[in-house]
């Protein structure tokens, strides 16, 4: 039987020799690894012993693959890092400061677009004034949040991913409440919560 939660300190992970500040901490999806992203590198700890498993020189916005076997570090170049052994490779198909996967693995969100991985379709996201700096998608894929220095926007993903009406060459062709995706020259609903 588990002991009652008390909020008592159960341990400390010493950053021996670390001079950089940590700015992102997360457990892997299976809860067995703790990832600490510092300003100049990333360290992965084994949760069973709280010991360092490996470190990589890359850093950036942290996310995990839908199957939990890899982490992604995005800082314009996106690196895929194996959570089992630290093997790190740049992903040539993604150039972004943000990488987020939907829980079901169907969508990949970057600082520029949302991709339907199964259909290999992508749509450009409406930009923020200073660019998209973070994103999150609801577990049921119904709402996509994009954040920037100016605001956080909530987009109805059904409206973003499903055709709204007709062909277009610019936003004026789509009517009120829609935008023109010039990659596909299709109108899509533009539903924001401000």
């Amino acid at each position: 039987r588990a002991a009652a939660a008390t909020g008592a300190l159960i341990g400390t992970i010493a950053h021996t020799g670390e001079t950089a500040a940590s700015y992102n901490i997360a457990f892997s999806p299976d809860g067995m690894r703790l990832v600490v992203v510092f300003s100049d590198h990333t360290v992965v700890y084994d949760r069973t012993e709280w010991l360092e498993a490996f470190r990589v020189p890359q850093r950036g916005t942290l996310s995990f693959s839908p199957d939990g076997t890899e982490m992604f570090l995005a800082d314009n170049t996106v690196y895929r890092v194996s959570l089992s052994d630290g093997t790190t490779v740049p992903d040539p198909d993604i150039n972004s400061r943000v990488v987020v996967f939907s829980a079901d693995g169907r969508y990949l969100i970057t600082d520029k677009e949302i991709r339907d991985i199964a259909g290999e379709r992508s749509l450009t996201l409406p930009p923020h004034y200073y660019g998209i700096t973070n994103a999150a998608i609801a577990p049921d894929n119904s709402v996509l949040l994009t954040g920037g220095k100016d605001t956080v926007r909530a987009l109805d993903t059904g409206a973003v991913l499903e055709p709204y009406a007709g062909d277009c060459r610019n936003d004026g062709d789509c009517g009120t409440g829609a935008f023109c995706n010039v990659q596909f020259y299709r109108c899509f609903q533009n539903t924001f919560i401000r």
Side-chain angles (χ1 to χ4, degrees):
R1 184 176 145 151
T6 64
L9 179 66
I10 60 170
T12 302
I13 298 172
H15 299 302
T16 307
E18 302 291 353
T19 58
S22 61
Y23 71 92
N24 199 337
I25 301 171
F27 283 105
S28 61
D30 66 1
M32 298 310 295
R33 299 279 195 189
L34 170 65
V35 180
V36 181
V37 180
F38 292 93
S39 57
D40 62 355
H41 65 285
T42 301
V43 180
V44 177
Y45 296 92
D46 181 348
R47 185 174 172 199
T48 57
E49 300 288 327
W50 297 109
L51 298 175
E52 182 177 317
F54 60 86
R55 65 178 51 212
V56 295
Q58 292 77 19
R59 55 155 174 79
T61 305
L62 173 66
S63 65
F64 296 96
S65 62
D67 66 4
T69 61
E70 295 177 307
M71 67 178 175
F72 287 73
L73 295 168
D75 188 21
N76 290 322
T77 299
V78 175
Y79 293 93
R80 301 169 74 116
V81 181
S82 167
L83 286 172
S84 63
D85 63 8
T87 300
T88 305
V89 295
D91 190 320
D93 296 327
I94 309 171
N95 180 14
S96 178
R97 292 175 295 157
V98 175
V99 175
V100 176
F101 291 91
S102 61
D104 63 4
R106 180 175 176 192
Y107 300 112
L108 167 68
I109 297 96
T110 71
D111 60 5
K112 298 169 194 67
E113 66 183 356
I114 181 169
R115 296 181 190 178
D116 181 341
I117 295 171
E120 297 182 10
R121 178 174 61 155
S122 66
L123 296 173
T124 302
L125 292 171
H128 284 258
Y129 186 71
Y130 295 104
I132 295 172
T133 57
N134 51 59
I137 191 164
D140 65 357
N141 298 333
S142 63
V143 177
L144 171 64
L145 301 174
T146 60
K149 292 182 180 180
D150 55 345
T151 188
V152 173
R153 294 182 178 148
L155 290 86
D156 174 350
T157 56
V160 171
L161 297 173
E162 299 302 325
Y164 177 66
D167 297 330
C168 60
R169 290 284 174 210
N170 59 55
D171 288 344
D173 296 339
C174 296
T176 304
F179 70 97
C180 180
N181 183 295
V182 295
Q183 283 182 313
F184 300 101
Y185 297 104
R186 297 290 308 237
C187 293
F188 293 87
Q189 230 173 351
N190 191 8
T191 306
F192 298 108
I193 301 170
R194 295 186 191 272

